[in-house]
Amino acid sequence: MSSAHSFVVTGASGGVGSAIAEHLSSIGHVINLDPTPARSANPRVHHVEGDAGDPAAAAAAAQLAEKHGPLSGWVNNAAIFRDASLATATAEQISALIALNLNLAVVGCHTAVQHFLSHSRPGSIVNVSSHQAQRPVRGALPYATAKAAVEGLTRAAAVDHGPQGIRVNAVALGSITTARYEEYRREHPEADQQMAALHPLGHVGHPLDVAHAVAFLLSAESAFITGAVLPVDGGRAALGPDPESA
């Protein structure tokens, strides 16, 4: 990809999204669609204040990206972390939480596909998923369900729009050292040892690990990859508990 290209990354005011945006800025202009103020002073990272689940805000991000260069990649990174239990919440509350997270990816995919088609241009979409789509942890039912649906969306969109040269893939993350993770570490002194045991590589990932994987899936180097879910999890999803390990 040349520096003339542009990208949209949702939820890029912090955490993994920020790392993705900063990394992609080395090869093009990046639009961060996020309701919170942008933290980047990078002149190639631009901010659109808005909800990634709002079609009007997503369209505005696409339009701004196009002003800086042909929009060639869209990353659906924004997520909502709110849990609810089948035992204590209503079905309506749980369904609403699932819809909130899933809608972020649906709106992003819809906006990107519409933009690529209207410009008769191939493009690439990367959805950020989680190891929980396949192996949930207790207490995260709405999030895990939404991410499983995002992976289904990834495959279906890839099948539907492959003939137009639009590729759709996902990255399924393990634990990553974001501010949210660091807060968890402060509250749980045993976290480092537990997380090392959960990831076969012996440690959690860094935001730049995710950024590199996303950039690969957006690039011509992955031109024959679509409908794939790439684990970026240090082997966490592959690990099964060993009853003899104790």
Side-chain angles (χ1 to χ4, degrees):
M1 283 180 282
S2 74
S3 59
H5 286 266
S6 67
F7 310 90
V8 172
V9 181
T10 68
S13 288
V16 168
S18 178
I20 294 171
E22 291 293 326
H23 184 59
L24 291 178
S25 73
S26 66
I27 51 177
H29 284 267
V30 182
I31 308 304
N32 164 29
L33 175 56
D34 195 298
T36 60
R39 301 175 185 173
S40 176
N42 187 331
R44 289 160 68 96
V45 177
H46 315 275
H47 185 229
V48 170
E49 185 174 343
D51 184 345
D54 175 7
Q63 291 164 9
L64 180 59
E66 193 68 26
K67 290 181 179 178
H68 290 281
L71 176 60
S72 65
W74 189 290
V75 183
N76 288 310
N77 166 74
I80 297 168
F81 300 97
R82 297 179 198 160
D83 294 334
S85 166
L86 293 172
T88 57
T90 67
E92 290 79 6
Q93 289 170 330
I94 293 169
S95 294
L97 288 175
I98 294 169
L100 276 174
N101 252 320
L102 178 57
N103 187 58
L104 296 168
V106 171
V107 169
C109 286
H110 182 267
T111 305
V113 167
Q114 291 287 323
H115 190 91
F116 297 147
L117 293 178
S118 68
H119 288 79
S120 300
R121 179 188 302 154
S124 180
I125 299 169
V126 177
N127 295 319
V128 177
S129 183
S130 166
H131 67 93
Q132 292 204 56
Q134 300 298 321
R135 299 183 67 175
V137 300
R138 288 192 179 98
L141 184 146
Y143 179 79
T145 303
K147 289 304 186 183
V150 166
E151 294 187 4
L153 170 67
T154 298
R155 290 184 285 268
V159 169
D160 282 353
H161 299 290
Q164 291 84 42
I166 298 172
R167 298 187 299 112
V168 189
N169 293 290
V171 288
L173 308 187
S175 295
I176 307 295
T177 55
T178 61
R180 184 169 176 269
Y181 175 76
E182 291 302 324
E183 181 181 349
Y184 177 83
R185 285 184 68 212
R186 287 192 293 271
E187 295 174 356
H188 301 83
E190 73 286 359
D192 286 344
Q193 183 177 355
Q194 291 178 343
M195 288 299 174
L198 285 172
H199 297 78
L201 289 182
H203 59 85
V204 300
H206 299 281
L208 197 56
D209 295 326
V210 182
H212 286 156
V214 169
F216 167 70
L217 290 174
L218 292 175
S219 76
E221 294 179 348
S222 62
F224 200 55
I225 300 175
T226 194
V229 178
L230 175 64
V232 185
D233 66 355
R236 180 168 180 170
L239 177 64
D242 180 1
E244 297 181 355
S245 62

